[in-house]
Structures are given as structure tokens and as C-alpha cells.
Amino acid sequence: MTRQAFLARLKAGLSGLPAHAITDIVADYEAHFAEGEAAGRTDAEVAAALGDPGRLARELRAEAGLKRWESERNPSAAASAVFAVLGLGAIDLLILLPIVLSIAGTLLGLFVAVIAVFGSGGFVFAAGPFLDPPGGVAAAMLAGIGLMAGSVSLGAVLCLVTVGFVNLLVWYGRLHYRLLKPAIEPQV
């Protein structure tokens, strides 16, 4: 494989990353080819030593997604990290995907339930003075405050569980990458 073909496949595989990141990565691999040329190696030998550019691009994209999660901690970065792990583990996709989807679905359902309980508490609090609730107006208002406080507490716990779940996926992705890399790129 020629230098141009290797770099073109690598660049195509990195699409979606920020332009400056692609430029830095391609420059790094151009430096590998320049060093190889200075050492008397052909482009084909350097390309063979570097490995499949498509696989390299997938690993680099996965690492970028994982680093984004570590620095930003928002839902978009979490989704990026989850897809990065899923992209890395194509072999494990059939095993990992049902587990990830069931846990993510459960968390989403609990988040919706928390929002519904919070809204119900707000309704009970606001409607308490206008209705004739059992126990009186004060009991209705306190019940509404209690429902809202409980849902906020449960929401905070769910946020912590979600962050822990994404961190677990990031750990799995890195472990998977470390275990597969020696098998994919045999040591010389």
C-alpha cells in the first residue's frame, strides 16, 4: 500500500472528528512514513507495520469519543462514548448491545418516571388549596413538596448511576482495545 493510499483511507475513516484532530493525526502518520523512508524502508513496509488504516481510524475515533466523555460529562459525550465502545467491539456487538440497550432503556424509563412524579407533586402542591383533599390543604401541600423532593433525590441518584454506567462502558472499551490490539498487531 502506498503512503497516499494509506493516508487517504485513514483520513476517510476519521471523518466526523474535528478538522484539527484529523490534521494532527494525519500529520503524525505522515511523520511515521518520513521516518521509515529515512531509515531506508519502503512505503509498503511502513504501511504494513502500521496496520490496517481502517482499523486504526476506528480505534482513534473510539479513543476520541472516550476522551470527550472524560472531559465533558454530558449526554452527547455519553452517547459518543457508548457508540465508540460499540464501534470497537464489533465482535461483541451481539453480546454487548442487548445488555447496553436494556440498561439504557431501564434508566430512561426511570428518568421519565422521576419527571412524572415531580410533575404530580407540583400538581398536588398547586391544586391542594383549591380542592378539598383528605387531611386538609397543608397535608396536600406537604405531600406535593414531598413528592417533588423525592423525585429530585431519585433523579440525582439516577444521574450518578448513569455516569457510573458510562464509565463502566469506557473501562470496557479500553480493556477490549488493550486485549485485542496484540492479537490484531502481532509483535515482531
Side-chain angles (χ1 to χ4, degrees), residues 15-164:
S15 64
L17 288 179
H20 66 86
I22 294 173
T23 303
D24 290 346
I25 291 169
V26 169
D28 186 41
Y29 281 92
E30 283 179 349
H32 284 292
F33 278 100
E35 289 171 8
E37 187 176 64
R41 299 171 68 190
T42 65
D43 283 353
E45 291 172 337
V46 174
L50 290 174
D52 178 34
R55 177 73 188 182
L56 285 173
R58 281 194 305 273
E59 292 170 355
L60 292 167
R61 288 174 54 100
E63 188 61 30
L66 299 179
K67 283 183 179 174
R68 184 173 168 222
W69 164 250
E70 290 174 349
S71 65
E72 292 183 20
R73 303 281 179 178
N74 60 35
S76 172
S80 176
V82 169
F83 285 117
V85 170
L86 291 176
L88 258 185
I91 296 170
D92 296 341
L93 192 61
L94 294 176
I95 297 169
L96 187 61
L97 190 60
I99 295 169
V100 168
L101 287 178
S102 63
I103 292 173
T106 301
L107 289 173
L108 180 65
L110 288 173
F111 273 115
V112 169
V114 163
I115 292 170
V117 169
F118 185 83
S120 300
F123 176 77
V124 169
F125 179 79
F130 305 108
L131 302 174
D132 189 22
V137 173
M141 293 180 77
L142 288 175
I145 291 171
L147 285 172
M148 289 190 292
S151 64
V152 168
S153 299
L154 186 57
V157 170
L158 281 174
C159 286
L160 292 174
V161 169
T162 302
V163 167

